[in-house]
Amino acid sequence: MLKGKVALVTGASGGIGRAVALAYAKNGAAVAIHYRGNQEKAEEVRQEIEALGGTAELFCCDVADFTAAKELIDGVVKHFGRIDILVNNAGITKDGLLMGMSEADFDMVIDTNLKGSFNCMRFASRQMLRQKSGRIINVSSVSGVAGNAGQANYAASKAGMIGLTKSAAKELAGRSITVNAIAPGYVKTAMTDKLSEQVKNQVLSQIPMGRYAEPEDIAGAAVFLASDMASYITGQVLVVDGGMVI
């Protein structure tokens, strides 16, 4: 389905990013595995891809850094020769109630989640324009669709990604570049594992399907949006949340 394509997945050392990287490799894509701090986990993902007979390379970068993001995209293109798919998945949380949230916690989340996505899109789109083709997939969140108490910074960053997605989609459509977003609900990752049992039960009561998403549920959507089957879909937000925000 993705044979001959080159995909860059940011935040690919674990959780959703790892699942997307593996799914792309299983479908024939060469994968650029981006990470920021956990090289060991990123290396494990590379080994898993190579065990499948796939091709992968590691790239370390702080996507919130404009210059570093340029170097990341340049490095991927230099190594693989092109970039066909960009998945902006790198993200952090610094939860807290609005009235007590520090400026630093607000800025850090916006810089990584929203500005980081902009940085990577800005430089990857230039290469895709030269190729006259490409797929950009931004991993937003249901928090960006419906908001969430205690996550003003995170929700703002993810809502911003949706606006960024729609604007870029209009700019790039004429060159056969699609830009879409996936808005996951609660997913079984290290991030959600930290929640208390009380919070987990409360969340489950809000999900009609009665379970958390697996990272592979999100990866399936990412494979579809990167494939030729989605070549006429752009500027859309695919909510993968088990019915949470119907």
Side-chain angles (χ1 to χ4, degrees):
M1 190 180 293
L2 301 177
K3 188 175 181 180
K5 303 295 185 181
V6 174
L8 166 60
V9 182
T10 70
S13 61
I16 293 172
R18 170 184 170 276
V20 172
L22 290 172
Y24 281 173
K26 289 175 183 176
N27 281 276
V31 183
I33 300 167
H34 162 268
Y35 69 100
R36 181 182 178 184
N38 200 330
Q39 183 175 352
E40 183 179 350
K41 288 292 185 183
E43 180 60 39
E44 288 176 5
V45 177
R46 174 164 64 178
Q47 291 174 8
E48 288 183 77
I49 289 174
E50 291 176 347
L52 294 168
T55 302
E57 187 55 69
L58 303 186
F59 295 86
C60 182
C61 165
D62 178 3
V63 294
D65 184 316
F66 187 77
T67 301
K70 180 182 185 303
E71 292 171 352
L72 169 65
I73 301 301
D74 288 347
V76 172
V77 174
K78 181 178 180 180
H79 183 84
F80 290 104
R82 59 187 296 115
I83 179 169
D84 301 290
I85 305 160
L86 167 65
V87 179
N88 282 310
N89 171 71
I92 61 171
T93 58
K94 293 285 183 180
D95 295 350
L97 295 176
L98 179 65
M99 67 187 74
M101 184 175 291
S102 70
E103 181 182 14
D105 283 351
F106 185 87
D107 289 349
M108 192 179 301
V109 171
I110 295 294
D111 286 348
T112 299
N113 300 2
L114 180 55
K115 185 169 180 284
S117 297
F118 160 75
N119 289 344
C120 292
M121 289 172 67
R122 184 186 188 279
F123 296 111
S125 63
R126 296 173 72 177
Q127 176 64 26
M128 291 176 177
L129 284 167
R130 286 192 284 269
Q131 298 168 184
K132 296 183 180 180
S133 67
R135 300 281 188 269
I136 298 173
I137 300 165
N138 294 321
V139 181
S140 180
S141 168
V142 291
S143 292
V145 175
N148 195 25
Q151 287 193 316
N153 50 3
Y154 185 75
S157 72
K158 294 300 186 176
M161 288 176 72
I162 291 173
L164 186 61
T165 295
K166 291 179 179 291
S167 295
K170 290 184 176 182
E171 292 184 18
L172 301 174
R175 292 294 185 93
S176 298
I177 300 168
T178 66
V179 189
N180 292 289
I182 299 173
Y186 282 84
V187 184
K188 285 184 180 178
T189 65
M191 191 179 294
T192 54
D193 285 343
K194 296 176 183 177
L195 298 174
S196 69
E197 286 303 314
Q198 180 181 357
V199 172
K200 288 180 181 178
N201 291 333
Q202 182 181 356
V203 168
L204 282 173
S205 70
Q206 300 170 11
I207 303 174
M209 292 193 72
R211 68 172 179 87
Y212 285 98
E214 299 290 343
E216 290 74 19
D217 292 320
I218 314 306
V223 170
F224 168 68
L225 289 173
S227 74
D228 289 341
M229 291 187 293
S231 62
Y232 200 59
I233 299 172
T234 195
Q236 302 305 305
V237 182
L238 179 54
V239 179
V240 186
D241 69 345
M244 187 175 177
V245 296
I246 291 174

